[in-house]
Amino acid sequence: MEQRATSERWLARDTDLERDVVLHVVPADGEHTEATLDAARRASGIGHPGLTRVLDVDTDGTLAWITESYRHDERPLSALIGTGLPAEEIRRITGEVALVLEAARARGLHHLALVPESVLVGEDGSVRVRGLAADAALAGIDEDEHDGDAEDAAAVVALAYAGLTGSWPLESRTALPDAPRDATGVLPPSHLAVGVPSDLDTICRETLSDAAGPSSPGDYAASIAPWSRTPVTEEPVPGEAAPSGEPAAHEPEPEDPAAGTDDPVDTSAPTADDEGGTPFVGTVAAAAGAGTRAEPTEGRPEDTAVLPAARTDRDREETADEDRPGHRPTAAAAAAAAAAATVAGTLSVGGKVLGERVGKVAQRTRERAEVVAADRRAQREAIRSSEARDRVSLGSAGSQDGIEAPAPLLPPETGESPSPEQSRIVLAIMAGLVTLALILGCFGVTRIGSNTDLGAIFGSDTQQTAAPSPEPAPSAPAEEGSSSSEPIQVLSAIGFDPDGDQTEHNSEAQRVYDNDVSTAWTSEGYNAPDFGNKRGVGLVLDLGQAQPIRSATLQLPTATTLQVFVGAEPGIDGSRLGESSGADGSVTIAADQPTEGRYVTIWFTTTAQGSDGRHRASLAEVVLR
């Protein structure tokens, strides 16, 4: 990878809109400045919430800058890795990063320079990626000469590796230490840390050592899914000391007023040792004078992988600060020290450090299991108590002896035995009903077979001796809709999605042959009218056996483009009966000659946009003849 050009990120104040912004400043006459500004403009067109917004791109002849959105609660992933993150939190963060890069890939853009400093994590767990396309352009990376899909996927896997081990496995420059290697390549995460999930360990090993990892960021996201949508926190073991003499994770580190903020921007004033020899303090303020005021303040240097010069200055400053009394390491230095200590400890196979860490992890797991078991027992007891309160026993129900009997609704004589005259009337009525039933039954029996030719059925002699009837006159050809063009019965139907998950709302498929146009099958929702990266979707109708099919009448709720195929197997490889383009309502697709087959595939190649902005294909009813 080429040496990155000199650049700096500054925290500035937009005095017009009263908001803080980040200025990514580069020399206006830099070799790759024009390509960097163009990449930033293209990235600004992707309105994804997982990307830092590019608010403006401008130059004043001496300097050029990219104005980005800024959040005070965000920290770079490299700083969070040093403090320690659970494996499931690494899964969540890298999964969100993969979805952001997959959305950018769908718009034709790749990052190609992704490092832990490129990922910003907010206190609410939100994940944002900065430097899309622009950081690669600044480093002189030509996107046409790289496989952007595979390289971004490998970079996301490297982020997962860094989160699990505290070290960086790629050649790109970052604040994290380099990952240890052996003769076969980068060591797997399970060799450096305990508690590594098997799927993440396998993906890291196949990608970084065997070059057989995911082909795109979306492929990586699908491989590690599902993950939690909320931050996954891990309670530290009480009394556990952090490596390298740092405070324990559960003990809050007192704030140092002189240390500035943990914002992922460079708020330190440049020194005379900066490349180029020209301080940026006055020039940045002048460049932003039209509405944005840069405010370099005292604090730690920028914790970013974009500027080798800035990183070198940070190292020089931290080395000098270590000699001062009362020196406190910066967050980046503490993170690097913790990561290095973790790697060094876990590599001592069979040593005391590894044994202590494994024991602590086992103790932590046992304590968590006890807490979870206690919570579940408490929940079960609460449910049982609630059920006991709601349950009413017949034996325990109180009786009320003082309730008065209801007033009678019938006269008192109703309960007396019927008189002989009343009994005779009832018997007469019953006899009349029985007689009527017998008469109706006898009449029905005599009518059995009156509308059928029993002689033809049983082959009696009457049929053989009967006089021949005159030959009937030739009838006219059957018109459409006559008995000879009766609809073909459909036995079953199923959704057809060969380029996706093989299903497409299968539960709605039977609606297309239920003789009810008010019900319809609809496809899944898509972002584009042409299904994006799919050739199409549709339905497959099963007729039970091969039958000749001449026409298909479709009831289309929306205007779409479709084709009808008939064949011995489901799919679009059979004979095409016909097609319809942009029509809705009742559409009949007919062929000059009937096509024989058991399966009829209705294949949609376009969709119609609904009220929710998603694109879908739909079919209310289909009649085959």
Side-chain angles (χ1 to χ4, degrees):
M1 181 174 292
E2 298 181 21
Q3 180 74 19
R4 295 180 184 269
T6 301
S7 65
E8 294 186 359
R9 275 190 168 92
W10 290 75
L11 176 62
R13 184 69 177 174
D14 187 339
T15 57
D16 291 341
L17 300 180
E18 293 298 326
R19 62 182 176 183
D20 290 336
V21 296
V22 173
L23 294 181
H24 189 186
V25 185
V26 296
D29 57 351
E31 179 182 0
H32 306 296
T33 297
E34 184 177 353
T36 303
L37 300 182
D38 179 68
R41 293 187 185 97
R42 289 187 287 121
S44 65
I46 303 178
H48 195 284
L51 291 171
T52 56
R53 292 180 56 196
V54 177
L55 305 176
D56 189 21
V57 177
D58 203 354
T59 181
D60 66 349
T62 303
L63 297 175
W65 62 89
I66 302 169
T67 306
E68 303 172 347
S69 61
Y70 173 69
R71 284 179 50 178
H72 291 270
D73 63 334
E74 288 182 335
R75 297 182 63 190
L77 180 58
S78 57
L80 297 177
I81 289 175
T83 62
L85 291 175
E88 291 306 314
E89 178 67 358
I90 294 298
R91 182 192 303 272
R92 183 189 72 86
I93 293 175
T94 56
E96 296 294 335
V97 171
L99 294 182
V100 173
L101 297 182
E102 182 67 16
R105 185 183 75 90
R107 300 289 297 274
L109 290 180
H110 299 89
H111 199 290
L112 295 178
L114 187 68
V115 291
E117 288 82 1
S118 305
V119 180
L120 306 178
V121 182
E123 292 181 354
D124 58 352
S126 60
V127 178
R128 294 201 305 168
V129 178
R130 70 180 178 185
L132 177 67
D135 286 355
L138 183 63
I141 300 175
D142 188 358
E143 186 173 358
D144 296 336
E145 299 178 359
H146 293 262
D147 184 359
D149 296 350
E151 292 191 16
D152 278 355
V156 177
V157 174
L159 291 180
Y161 185 98
L164 296 171
T165 65
S167 57
W168 184 244
L170 301 182
E171 297 180 359
S172 51
R173 301 182 62 180
T174 179
L176 298 179
D178 294 336
R181 299 172 180 267
D182 59 9
T184 61
V186 178
L187 293 179
S190 58
H191 292 191
L192 305 177
V194 295
V196 177
S198 59
D199 58 341
L200 294 181
D201 184 66
T202 301
I203 291 177
C204 291
R205 183 180 67 253
E206 292 179 349
T207 303
L208 303 175
S209 298
D210 302 337
S215 59
S216 67
D219 188 13
Y220 171 81
S223 300
I224 68 167
W227 59 81
S228 172
R229 290 295 181 181
T230 58
V232 180
T233 59
E234 183 176 10
E235 294 295 334
V237 177
E240 179 180 359
S244 302
E246 291 296 316
H250 62 280
E251 299 178 359
E253 184 178 355
E255 296 184 358
D256 186 0
T261 65
D262 288 334
D263 301 328
V265 293
D266 188 1
T267 57
S268 61
T271 65
D273 295 331
D274 288 336
E275 295 185 12
T278 302
F280 279 72
V281 177
T283 55
V284 171
T292 306
R293 184 179 71 257
E295 298 179 354
T297 60
E298 295 182 1
R300 64 177 181 83
E302 178 185 17
D303 192 10
T304 176
V306 175
L307 304 177
R311 185 165 55 254
T312 303
D313 295 340
R314 182 192 62 195
D315 297 338
R316 289 198 300 268
E317 292 173 3
E318 291 180 356
T319 303
D321 290 344
E322 291 177 356
D323 299 332
R324 295 199 300 268
H327 164 68
R328 293 183 58 85
T330 62
T342 302
V343 175
T346 53
L347 285 178
S348 301
V349 180
K352 180 178 179 181
V353 175
L354 180 60
E356 291 178 354
R357 292 190 178 276
V358 173
K360 289 178 180 179
V361 171
Q363 176 69 15
R364 184 183 307 174
T365 303
R366 185 177 64 82
E367 293 175 355
R368 288 181 179 173
E370 293 176 354
V371 172
V372 172
D375 291 342
R376 292 181 177 176
R377 286 195 296 269
Q379 292 176 0
R380 288 196 295 268
E381 292 298 332
I383 293 174
R384 292 194 185 100
S385 301
S386 177
E387 292 177 349
R389 289 194 302 268
D390 296 339
R391 188 181 300 112
V392 177
S393 173
L394 293 178
S396 62
S399 61
Q400 298 182 1
D401 299 334
I403 297 178
E404 298 181 356
L409 301 179
L410 298 176
E413 59 271 14
T414 304
E416 300 178 356
S417 301
S419 61
E421 184 179 358
Q422 291 175 340
S423 298
R424 287 193 296 270
I425 293 175
V426 172
L427 291 175
I429 293 174
M430 295 297 296
L433 293 175
V434 172
T435 303
L436 179 60
L438 290 174
I439 294 173
L440 294 176
C442 294
F443 178 77
V445 170
T446 60
R447 299 294 298 172
I448 293 177
S450 60
N451 294 329
T452 59
D453 190 355
L454 297 179
I457 295 175
F458 296 104
S460 64
D461 296 337
T462 305
Q463 180 185 12
Q464 298 175 1
T465 60
S469 59
E471 295 183 0
S475 59
E479 298 179 355
E480 183 178 358
S482 64
S483 60
S484 61
S485 299
E486 288 295 326
I488 300 175
Q489 183 179 4
V490 178
L491 297 184
S492 64
I494 191 172
F496 184 57
D497 184 12
D499 297 336
D501 56 2
Q502 308 301 321
T503 63
E504 194 74 16
H505 284 185
N506 292 347
S507 60
E508 301 178 0
Q510 71 275 8
R511 298 178 181 178
V512 301
Y513 59 93
D514 60 355
N515 297 324
D516 186 0
V517 296
S518 64
T519 62
W521 167 88
T522 58
S523 69
E524 299 175 2
Y526 294 90
N527 294 327
D530 56 354
F531 300 96
N533 58 351
K534 293 184 179 181
R535 294 173 297 171
V537 299
L539 288 165
V540 175
L541 310 179
D542 186 1
L543 308 182
Q545 61 182 355
Q547 300 187 44
I549 301 171
R550 183 182 295 273
S551 66
T553 301
L554 311 175
Q555 298 293 335
L556 300 175
T558 57
T560 54
T561 300
L562 60 90
Q563 299 173 343
V564 179
F565 295 89
V566 179
E569 299 292 338
I572 58 176
D573 296 330
S575 300
R576 189 171 69 174
L577 187 67
E579 63 181 349
S580 173
S581 178
D584 59 353
S586 180
V587 177
T588 299
I589 298 175
D592 296 336
Q593 297 295 331
T595 302
E596 185 171 346
R598 173 180 175 178
Y599 297 96
V600 177
T601 302
I602 302 173
W603 180 250
F604 291 89
T605 56
T606 64
T607 59
Q609 187 174 17
S611 58
D612 58 352
R614 306 279 285 175
H615 295 77
R616 296 178 176 85
S618 59
L619 177 61
E621 201 72 22
V622 57
V623 177
L624 304 175
R625 299 184 187 276

